[in-house]
Amino acid sequence: METLNFDASSSLKLNFWVRIGDISYFEGPILSLFYDFIKQKFYIFDWVDRNECVNRWLIYGVSPHIILNFMMGKMSLLNMFKMRSEMDVYYIDLHFSHKNFYEVPAYLLKSIPDTYYPNENNYFDKEDCPEFDKIFEILTSSLNRND
């Protein structure tokens, strides 16, 4: 796994987050959508690395409009990442035995390794999204509430 440069004093509070569903799933979640009820924002968990004990995820905020554009094939995963609503990117290492991710700290990255950037040719594939209708409905209704 990559060695990360991060700020241990800056971590996300994940206690009030709910998992909406997996935007991309192949033998396990690859790209998952969460909602923070305190900030009332959507966050992407993007699987980027692993070793024999841990899965590593990048966490970043994305507006519902941008997520929907990605899911409609209008932009790549890299473009969605670049258009994140907050420039801060966090990471979390989840041990395979952890049941509750909010008990594990997510730390602010000072820099993102090049290998963790999404591929610019990675576009949404509806066949890899087992909860497409649910995710689409939640994102769309979120946009309608904010109008």
Side-chain angles (χ1 to χ4, degrees):
M1 283 181 49
E2 294 276 351
T3 301
L4 299 179
N5 184 8
F6 62 94
D7 181 355
S9 67
S10 182
S11 63
L12 286 176
K13 304 289 186 225
L14 305 175
N15 303 43
F16 297 100
W17 290 37
V18 65
R19 183 183 163 279
I20 304 298
D22 297 322
I23 295 173
S24 183
Y25 186 97
F26 181 76
E27 297 180 2
I30 297 172
L31 195 68
S32 299
L33 181 64
F34 283 79
Y35 186 74
D36 177 351
F37 279 99
I38 300 299
K39 291 185 178 180
Q40 297 185 352
K41 292 184 179 184
F42 290 97
Y43 287 85
I44 297 291
F45 275 53
D46 189 350
W47 179 79
V48 293
D49 209 347
R50 69 178 292 276
N51 66 21
E52 57 280 345
C53 309
V54 171
N55 279 309
R56 178 169 288 162
W57 301 80
L58 294 187
I59 303 171
Y60 49 93
V62 181
S63 75
H65 176 74
I66 297 299
I67 300 167
L68 284 168
N69 278 338
F70 171 70
M71 291 179 67
M72 301 308 294
K74 296 180 180 178
M75 67 175 54
S76 69
L77 181 56
L78 177 62
N79 285 335
M80 182 172 73
F81 177 77
K82 288 179 178 178
M83 297 181 76
R84 59 194 184 273
S85 55
E86 300 167 7
M87 288 298 105
D88 288 344
V89 176
Y90 293 80
Y91 87 94
I92 190 168
D93 283 344
L94 294 177
H95 194 276
F96 294 132
S97 66
H98 281 291
K99 301 285 188 270
N100 299 313
F101 69 87
Y102 56 82
E103 295 174 357
V104 181
Y107 295 116
L108 178 64
L109 284 173
K110 291 183 179 179
S111 62
I112 302 167
D114 290 342
T115 57
Y116 285 3
Y117 277 88
N119 184 320
E120 69 180 289
N121 296 321
N122 187 345
Y123 282 83
F124 177 76
D125 185 344
K126 189 174 180 180
E127 290 183 17
D128 294 335
C129 184
E131 301 162 299
F132 178 84
D133 292 335
K134 172 187 169 187
I135 293 170
F136 189 84
E137 182 179 328
I138 289 170
L139 291 170
T140 303
S141 66
S142 173
L143 287 176
N144 293 336
R145 281 193 313 268
N146 295 329
D147 289 342

